[in-house]
Amino acid sequence: MMTTTTNDVPDRKAVRQEVPVDPETGRPYINTVAAVAIAPSGVGAELSEYVSQAVVVIRDSGLPNETNAMFTNIEGDLDEVLRVVRDATMKLAGQGYRTGVTLKLDIRPGFSGQLAEKPQLVDSILSE
């Protein structure tokens, strides 16, 4: 079932959505929210110095992002998100470190702004 509401806002409860086309590229825009953790192995107990190198790459990408205690969340087109994850990984792996990557993707065509909207939706439900 593919539906939108009357204001061309995607129906959150629809199983399928229309896939928008990026007017600049003519390609489908597949919105993706990624939760990624990138860290080297075997460098000691404190990883913040290394993790921060990967986070700088993500922040410099221009994609919406936020860092929390466990992950950095990134939002954008699937290809762009995967490119940024690769570039951030290479920041450490390119220095010769064995690098572990934990990656979770929520791919939801037709939606955008989910880094802000998802927490707002949960807060709204909790306040009912």
Side-chain angles (χ1 to χ4, degrees):
M1 170 185 231
M2 286 190 282
T3 59
T4 59
T5 61
T6 56
N7 296 330
D8 290 327
V9 175
D11 178 358
R12 294 196 75 80
K13 295 181 181 181
V15 175
R16 293 178 50 205
Q17 299 292 337
E18 293 292 329
V19 177
V21 174
D22 183 330
E24 292 180 21
T25 65
R27 295 177 32 162
Y29 182 87
I30 306 297
N31 195 68
T32 303
V33 174
V36 63
I38 303 168
S41 299
V43 296
E46 184 53 57
L47 302 178
S48 298
E49 176 186 329
Y50 303 95
V51 170
S52 65
Q53 293 179 45
V55 171
V56 165
V57 173
I58 294 167
R59 290 182 179 175
D60 287 347
S61 74
L63 294 180
N65 66 84
E66 59 187 21
T67 301
N68 59 49
M70 296 290 294
F71 291 93
T72 296
N73 298 321
I74 312 165
E75 184 171 6
D77 180 67
L78 177 60
D79 289 340
E80 294 174 341
V81 168
L82 292 176
R83 177 188 51 77
V84 170
V85 169
R86 180 200 179 280
D87 291 351
T89 300
M90 287 305 296
K91 184 66 178 180
L92 297 179
Q95 296 175 55
Y97 293 111
R98 181 176 188 174
T99 304
V101 178
T102 302
L103 177 64
K104 182 174 182 176
L105 301 174
D106 179 9
I107 300 167
R108 197 159 189 197
F111 286 80
S112 62
Q114 296 302 289
L115 284 182
E117 191 171 325
K118 284 180 168 191
Q120 290 172 354
L121 179 61
V122 171
D123 289 344
S124 172
I125 291 168
L126 290 174
S127 68
E128 292 177 356

